[in-house]
Amino acid sequence: MSDAALSVHGLWKVFGPKAGSIIGTPDADLPRPELLARTGCVAAVKDVSFDVAPGEVFVVMGLSGSGKSTLVRCLTRLIEPSAGSIEIDGDDVVTMSDSRLRELRRTHVSMVFQHFGLLPHRQVIDNVAYGLEVRGEPKSKRLARSQEMVDLVGLSGNEHSYPDQLSGGMQQRVGLARALAADPSVMLFDEPFSALDPLIRRDMQNEVIRLHDEVGKSMVFVTHDLAEALKLGDRILIMRDGAVVQVGTPAEVVARPADDYVRDFVSDVPRSHVLTLRYVMREPGPDDSTEGPVMSSDTVVRQAARAALASEHVVRVVDDGELVGIVDDDAILRVVVAEEEATPA
Amino acid sequence: MTTVAVRDSGVPTSGVLAALRRRGKLWLLALTVLAWVAVWAATRGTSTQEIGGATLTDAHQWFRGRAAWVEDAASAGTNPVFGLANGIADLLNGLIAFLQRLFTVPEFPRPYPEIGWLGVIAMAAWVTYAVAGWRSVLLVVPSFLAFGFLGYWEDSLDLLIITLVSVFIAVVIGIPLGVAMAHSKIVSAILTPVLDVMQTMPSFIYLLPLTIVFGIGSAAATIVTLIYALPPVVRITAHGIRSVSPSTLEATRSLGQSGWQRLRNVELPMSKRTVIVGINQTMMAALSMATIAAFIDSPGLGQPVLEGLRRGQLGASAVAGLAIVIMAIMLDRTTTAASIRAERAARAGRDDRRRRRLVLTGTGVLTLAAIGVSHNQVWANPFPSSPDLGSPIAAGVDRFADWLRTDLSGLTTAIQEAFTVWFLNPVQDLVANSPWFVTAAALLAVAAIAGGRRALASTAVCLAGIYFLDLWYNAMVTLTSVFTATAVTMVVGVALGVWMGRSGLADRAIRPVLDAAQTIPPFVYLVPILILFGPNRFTAIVAGVIYAVPPATKLIADGIRGVAPATVEAAESAGTSRLQMITKVQIPMARGALLVAGNQGLLYVLSMVVIGGMVGAGALGFDIVTGFRQTSMIGRGLAAGVAIVLLGIMLDRITTHAANQSASTNPTTATHRRRRPLTGGIA
Ligand SMILES: Nc1ncnc2c1ncn2[C@@H]1O[C@H](COP(=O)(O)OP(=O)(O)O)[C@@H](O)[C@H]1O
Ligand SMILES: [Mg+2]
């Protein structure tokens, strides 16, 4: 796929002494503990493939230890992948020389980290400017650009503070500004908000949504928090023990979990917030009323509920002028009531 | 608490086995000593390999021949290695002579050095203000005045010159080496054992060989000081760079920085404070070695100390020693303040920085003026001879010493005699007066039981070496001093360490005293101890104990503090008394720390006992000192140096392997050993 911003194919990362000799053998399919016992290796990422479209927010989700951090670090070879191909804006990352790779990191891809990774001896503004500094931008230009970024993430007035004078949320805003400063086409996030308090985390998620609307970057966003994944992701990739379990839109993942692992994950999601009518509608029958409200199939159930329940008639689901399904009150109530029961009082 | 209970009941068999093995070891060691005593009783005084004080054997002549060959090669200038050594020596001698002409030695026809006291003090104050802040100036200026009023202005400046030149070279070499160690596993693997040897070898040992290559005087003094002082700055720099936050390194790497940018913008600034701590340690080590270098004619305060010791004018030694202590405190406090200031300076606002630059320029001009005045005006050049604080202090000390010897000799002699008669003499009789092969067999048995096969092998090699150096008897006398001093060190160290480990209050009270004791050059301790006890073996042992107690105590205190609070709590809830807690829980669980403390104690004691050789402790230390003084005895001096190194290696190997063995039989100390990380990953 040449029109993807980022394209990953058959990516492997094996940690350990004989990492190279495992891929392609039956050993590679062993569960992690057995592989470790037999070879002393850990297959952190196993045969992962996906594409990210320009402007898409692509979320990678999984339990701790499932290989998310390793995967996202392989994308710019902060960790050297063991096998597979990675293309960013059409360039092959795996075979790049060191200097091309530095160039890629300086201009095309930037990353936001869970533990911020700020330089404690530099003021906020100089932290934000660091990426521009290493690529040799003149001082006046990089300071002007950094000031813009500081304003963009809402840190105006804190330019001359030092990182340890800021709260965790503000430090991560610095991390965001630093990543944005280089004006990359792809941004990578490794659990950027996991270390923050829940309230601040929500602010920061909204901040990312706002920035995405404003700057429209392609993003790969790693999280172990399903709510965060559903909130931010256009699509979600679910990992388990290094391998891909499922890739799909939030609604797909919630409505049709690929296996028990995913089902467990999504079991206490507020389904009405995620499910769209496509996943609750039934085939239209000859007896169905034609007077009810008309909605498209990607309307979220919660939005449809009020109008649907208020009307005496069933909802007709119409895509591109064509009737594709019917949603009756029962279908809506099943989603909403199941959720009430699942939520403890 | 629950985890402890589970662990104790979960692996009962291995715990019991380990305990049995430990018990068995102690029994075996006791049996070995008993057997030794029995054989000694029957064979005592035979085959002791004792040789006369001036006897030179073939082995010693061989060393003398080597020394002569090296000296010839060095002076002929044909051998490129010695040619290089000569070149370095000339360079250093030239540099130090130049500095001395500036500050301490008049050059004809001038009757005074180029820069007098006023200029020196102004410079010292200005530099201190620049690197450490004005508070430190309030310490530095009185210190310099004290050097003068004590009557040792020139000697103090000479010592400072040797120390600072060595530190400068150590820093210039050491920081890049530390960085290389942090970045490369290979460099680290090569340098670590080299640094270990540099640090564990008693400093006294390499004086003699180095004088053969570099001659006596300033150059050799600078180089021995450099060798002794280099390891701390290398190690601590490496440690500082390695502990830079990995998340910051990764984040900055993700921005596409080059290796050089990483070093300059991330690693060095973030480890700056640690590196300055390394420089502080290097500075203190350099001062202590530069003092001892008086033995090889280094200029500086060591000279009057040594001179006083030789002539029995302890008062003069004490005054010079006091000046050294003042210098130690001054350097230590100033570099510590500099490391704290480094942090704050980086954060100063633009206004602060501008004001500081103004103040520095202004005071800089004043300093230059003071230098000019001290160059031209007599009143500002030679340090005024009055008020003279040194002579009355010296006289007072001498009077005090006389009084001690006449009126109080009962007490000090009683202590000394009791120790010597009841402890030192019997041990020495056993170790040195057994036939050599009996002592050797006993030591080998101890090594095998305590440290296993590898300790046995090292011990065999070292003992064979000592035997063939023809210094068996003297080595055994030195070994006796080391054993007894270490025994006393451990008794004191355990008592203090347990107390400190159990009580935060005791820790806060005692630790600063230990820290202070460690900043004072050990050579200086000898003076008051000599005053108290006179020149003999006992004095050397006391000096060894005083030198070794601070590091040993700190290690033990940290070990006791490190015992898991959950375990202590569990034992407490089981109704353990305080004594039981100490003897049954805390000391056994801190056994790893105790063994490390014993290891360190032995090495510290060894290096001090050797220095004590020159004040009447005799044996190997005396052989070395004689090697300095009489060219005919140089071979025996060199052999004695090698024998001391062999003793050191033997003691180190036995205790290290013993510690490792106990770690592998004891789950609580196993965690002290290093774990190898998995390879690969976020580099
Ligand atoms: N440098 C490394 N060496 C060996 N194993 C590693 C290394 N880094 C990660 N792993 C292993 O790879 C697996 C995936 O780790 P990671 O990618 O950090 O998971 P996640 O980010 O999803 O929590 C884990 O089992 C972890 O122990
Ligand atoms: Mg992770």
Side-chain angles (χ1 to χ4, degrees):
Chain A
M1 269 224 242
S2 56
D3 54 344
L6 167 68
S7 172
V8 174
H9 196 81
L11 188 72
W12 284 81
K13 175 63 197 181
V14 181
F15 288 111
K18 297 168 293 184
S21 61
I22 287 170
I23 300 157
T25 67
D27 276 354
D29 298 326
L30 288 175
R32 274 212 186 137
E34 284 173 41
L35 181 67
L36 185 63
R38 275 183 57 149
T39 64
C41 293
V42 177
V45 174
K46 289 164 81 168
D47 195 18
V48 170
S49 306
F50 61 88
D51 291 313
V52 178
E56 182 178 13
V57 180
F58 188 83
V59 171
V60 176
M61 199 187 69
L63 295 179
S64 160
S66 57
K68 310 178 297 289
S69 295
T70 308
L71 170 63
V72 78
R73 279 169 178 72
C74 283
L75 300 181
T76 56
R77 286 174 47 198
L78 288 174
I79 293 178
E80 218 40 74
S82 308
S85 72
I86 301 162
E87 272 184 24
I88 292 181
D89 292 337
D91 290 331
D92 183 1
V93 176
V94 177
T95 57
M96 271 181 187
S97 67
D98 280 358
S99 61
R100 286 273 320 279
L101 186 61
R102 268 204 298 276
E103 207 50 42
L104 177 90
R105 292 177 186 162
R106 286 176 182 183
T107 54
H108 273 64
V109 188
S110 57
M111 188 158 169
V112 181
F113 296 84
Q114 178 174 6
H115 298 295
F116 323 140
L118 303 178
L119 291 166
H121 56 284
R122 288 182 171 225
Q123 297 174 354
V124 165
I125 187 95
D126 295 323
N127 262 291
V128 175
Y130 189 64
L132 304 172
E133 183 181 330
V134 297
R135 73 184 193 203
E137 303 269 351
K139 188 163 182 176
S140 58
K141 201 167 153 199
R142 66 180 192 242
L143 286 184
R145 170 82 185 158
S146 308
Q147 187 63 52
E148 263 177 59
M149 293 304 114
V150 167
D151 296 340
L152 183 65
V153 300
L155 281 177
S156 313
N158 291 298
E159 297 83 356
H160 299 295
S161 304
Y162 285 87
D164 60 9
Q165 298 166 332
L166 303 179
S167 67
M170 285 162 93
Q171 291 188 41
Q172 193 57 296
R173 282 172 198 265
V174 180
L176 261 177
R178 177 177 63 185
L180 285 164
D183 196 21
S185 58
V186 178
M187 291 181 75
L188 311 175
F189 296 78
D190 185 17
E191 307 211 20
F193 309 139
S194 301
L196 306 180
D197 294 339
L199 281 181
I200 297 169
R201 193 182 311 164
R202 204 180 58 197
D203 284 350
M204 294 299 290
Q205 288 161 355
N206 294 335
E207 189 75 17
V208 166
I209 293 172
R210 179 178 73 82
L211 289 171
H212 185 252
D213 290 346
E214 283 183 30
V215 297
K217 313 275 183 207
S218 315
M219 294 181 175
V220 175
F221 194 105
V222 169
T223 179
H224 66 257
D225 174 4
L226 182 71
E228 190 167 83
L230 296 173
K231 181 167 177 181
L232 299 175
D234 294 323
R235 281 189 305 148
I236 299 175
L237 180 155
I238 297 178
M239 283 182 90
R240 176 191 192 179
D241 288 352
V244 176
V245 182
Q246 188 170 6
V247 185
T249 62
E252 265 168 1
V253 169
V254 172
R256 299 190 193 125
D259 64 5
D260 287 346
Y261 177 74
V262 183
R263 193 165 299 122
D264 241 21
F265 245 118
V266 300
S267 60
D268 43 351
V269 175
R271 295 161 67 87
S272 66
H273 293 225
V274 180
L275 286 189
T276 54
L277 295 184
R278 173 174 308 136
Y279 298 99
V280 296
M281 69 194 187
R282 59 171 169 76
E283 290 288 305
D287 309 336
D288 287 328
S289 153
T290 54
E291 287 161 44
V294 174
M295 296 180 191
S296 76
S297 68
D298 52 8
T299 313
V300 178
V301 170
R302 197 168 70 123
Q303 284 168 357
R306 184 173 296 265
L309 296 177
S311 160
E312 307 231 316
H313 304 277
V314 292
V315 174
R316 289 182 303 143
V317 184
V318 176
D319 282 346
D320 300 328
E322 191 182 330
L323 182 68
V324 292
I326 295 292
V327 176
D328 47 31
D329 287 0
D330 274 359
I332 300 245
L333 286 172
R334 256 201 307 281
V335 174
V336 175
V337 171
E339 192 169 290
E340 303 264 284
E341 281 172 353
T343 321
Chain B
M1 276 172 25
T2 45
T3 56
V4 171
V6 168
R7 190 205 283 159
D8 282 355
S9 58
V11 280
T13 42
S14 71
V16 170
L17 271 182
L20 269 182
R21 208 172 307 151
R22 217 148 55 218
R23 201 52 60 73
K25 261 188 190 179
L26 287 181
W27 277 113
L28 273 178
L29 285 175
L31 274 179
T32 308
V33 173
L34 274 181
W36 188 3
V37 171
V39 177
W40 161 81
T43 58
R44 166 179 187 196
T46 58
S47 305
T48 57
Q49 304 295 98
E50 185 172 3
I51 57 172
T55 310
L56 293 172
T57 69
D58 290 349
H60 306 156
Q61 297 295 5
W62 182 85
F63 272 102
R64 190 180 170 190
R66 294 302 91 194
W69 178 82
V70 171
E71 268 171 359
D72 290 346
S75 57
T78 42
N79 182 315
V81 175
F82 297 121
L84 180 68
N86 255 344
I88 294 174
D90 288 346
L91 206 71
L92 285 173
N93 277 328
L95 173 66
I96 286 163
F98 167 76
L99 292 170
Q100 283 185 308
R101 277 199 301 280
L102 276 187
F103 298 114
T104 58
V105 179
E107 190 183 23
F108 190 78
R110 264 181 78 87
Y112 304 116
E114 302 289 336
I115 301 175
W117 65 268
L118 185 68
V120 170
I121 292 181
M123 275 168 67
W126 189 80
V127 171
T128 305
Y129 172 71
V131 302
W134 63 269
R135 247 176 250 270
S136 300
V137 175
L138 298 185
L139 175 69
V140 166
V141 170
S143 299
F144 272 81
L145 291 175
F147 300 152
F149 289 130
L150 288 174
Y152 289 110
W153 178 254
E154 285 86 7
D155 283 326
S156 301
L157 291 194
D158 281 341
L159 178 60
L160 211 51
I161 288 172
I162 301 281
T163 305
L164 293 182
V165 168
S166 308
V167 169
F168 178 78
I169 302 173
V171 167
V172 168
I173 303 174
I175 291 181
L177 280 182
V179 170
M181 265 179 88
H183 284 168
S184 150
K185 285 208 182 97
I186 298 174
V187 175
S188 182
I190 295 171
L191 281 185
T192 305
V194 176
L195 296 177
D196 281 347
V197 170
M198 284 164 82
Q199 272 189 311
T200 50
M201 224 173 22
S203 49
F204 210 55
I205 305 304
Y206 35 79
L207 290 180
L208 192 52
L210 280 170
T211 55
I212 295 171
V213 179
F214 294 101
I216 56 172
S218 317
T222 310
I223 288 169
V224 294
T225 307
L226 174 64
I227 293 177
Y228 187 66
L230 186 61
V233 70
V234 178
R235 275 182 207 276
I236 297 177
T237 300
H239 170 74
I241 301 261
R242 282 198 197 106
S243 17
V244 168
S245 144
S247 52
T248 304
L249 280 178
E250 186 180 42
T252 50
R253 196 156 83 97
S254 82
L255 295 166
Q257 74 184 348
S258 63
W260 169 244
Q261 287 170 331
R262 171 182 65 168
L263 181 64
R264 210 181 79 96
N265 299 332
V266 183
E267 288 174 332
L268 285 180
M270 284 179 76
S271 55
K272 189 168 174 184
R273 187 155 177 197
T274 313
V275 172
I276 298 181
V277 170
I279 295 176
N280 167 282
Q281 303 260 311
T282 282
M283 181 100 70
M284 301 327 288
L287 180 66
S288 101
M289 192 67 200
T291 313
I292 293 175
F295 280 100
I296 56 169
D297 268 1
S298 166
L301 279 172
Q303 290 286 359
V305 176
L306 191 58
E307 202 53 34
L309 292 184
R310 277 189 187 142
R311 297 202 185 148
Q313 297 168 341
L314 293 179
S317 285
V319 175
L322 180 62
I324 296 174
V325 172
I326 292 173
M327 192 178 292
I329 294 170
M330 175 186 92
L331 292 176
D332 181 43
R333 294 286 91 211
T334 311
T335 42
T336 305
S339 83
I340 295 166
R341 210 200 75 86
E343 205 105 312
R344 236 179 308 124
R347 298 213 162 180
R350 197 157 304 171
D351 290 348
D352 280 354
R353 238 170 281 166
R354 187 164 326 131
R355 193 171 35 193
R356 193 175 131 78
R357 216 168 306 145
L358 270 177
V359 174
L360 275 178
T361 319
T363 49
V365 170
L366 284 179
T367 304
L368 284 177
I371 292 173
V373 169
S374 78
H375 181 77
N376 296 321
Q377 305 282 323
V378 173
W379 66 264
N381 197 304
F383 201 91
S385 54
S386 77
D388 171 12
L389 300 182
S391 308
I393 294 178
V397 169
D398 281 332
R399 263 200 310 280
F400 175 71
D402 281 343
W403 173 74
L404 266 186
R405 269 193 286 274
T406 50
D407 294 346
L408 207 73
S409 67
L411 181 60
T412 53
T413 321
I415 296 174
Q416 176 188 332
E417 276 190 349
F419 183 84
T420 308
V421 169
W422 292 106
F423 190 44
L424 189 54
N425 283 347
V427 177
Q428 179 164 327
D429 207 359
L430 178 66
V431 174
N433 281 341
S434 294
W436 71 270
F437 43 86
V438 174
T439 302
L443 291 176
L444 287 170
V446 169
I449 296 166
R453 215 173 310 137
R454 298 190 17 197
L456 177 66
S458 313
T459 305
V461 171
C462 292
L463 288 178
I466 292 170
Y467 179 80
F468 287 116
L469 289 167
D470 294 331
L471 289 169
W472 182 270
Y473 183 81
N474 279 358
M476 291 307 121
V477 173
T478 298
L479 191 59
T480 303
S481 300
V482 172
F483 279 154
T484 45
T486 308
V488 177
T489 301
M490 290 306 283
V491 169
V492 177
V494 168
L496 284 180
V498 168
W499 189 27
M500 284 167 67
R502 291 171 52 87
S503 148
L505 196 66
D507 191 279
R508 278 193 296 282
I510 298 174
R511 198 172 282 266
V513 179
L514 300 179
D515 288 341
Q518 281 188 293
T519 56
I520 297 173
F523 192 40
V524 175
Y525 305 151
L526 275 178
V527 179
I529 302 169
L530 263 175
I531 291 174
L532 283 175
F533 300 110
N536 52 50
R537 278 178 299 165
F538 183 72
T539 294
I541 288 174
V542 174
V545 170
I546 292 183
Y547 187 42
V549 158
T553 304
K554 283 189 201 171
L555 283 166
I556 294 170
D558 293 344
I560 297 284
R561 166 112 2 102
V563 172
T567 311
V568 174
E569 202 181 5
E572 217 152 52
S573 75
T576 315
S577 76
R578 192 158 64 144
L579 187 65
Q580 285 171 327
M581 179 70 81
I582 295 174
T583 56
K584 295 213 158 40
V585 179
Q586 290 178 318
I587 289 186
M589 288 191 72
R591 219 153 43 96
L594 244 68
L595 284 165
V596 174
N599 171 288
Q600 292 292 297
L602 278 170
L603 296 175
Y604 272 76
V605 160
L606 177 63
S607 84
M608 196 62 196
V609 161
V610 173
I611 296 179
M614 59 149 303
V615 293
L620 293 180
F622 183 74
D623 288 334
I624 290 192
V625 175
T626 321
F628 295 140
R629 289 193 197 146
Q630 301 173 22
T631 30
S632 62
M633 298 298 284
I634 199 167
R636 185 160 164 177
L638 287 170
V642 177
I644 290 167
V645 173
L646 291 175
L647 278 183
I649 295 175
M650 178 179 92
L651 295 171
D652 180 54
R653 290 296 86 195
I654 295 177
T655 44
T656 304
H657 287 300
N660 285 348
Q661 288 220 335
S662 107
S664 57
T665 56
N666 181 342
T668 52
T669 48
T671 48
H672 286 295
R673 288 187 299 170
R674 286 196 208 128
R675 282 198 217 102
R676 278 243 303 282
L678 278 167
T679 47
I682 305 159

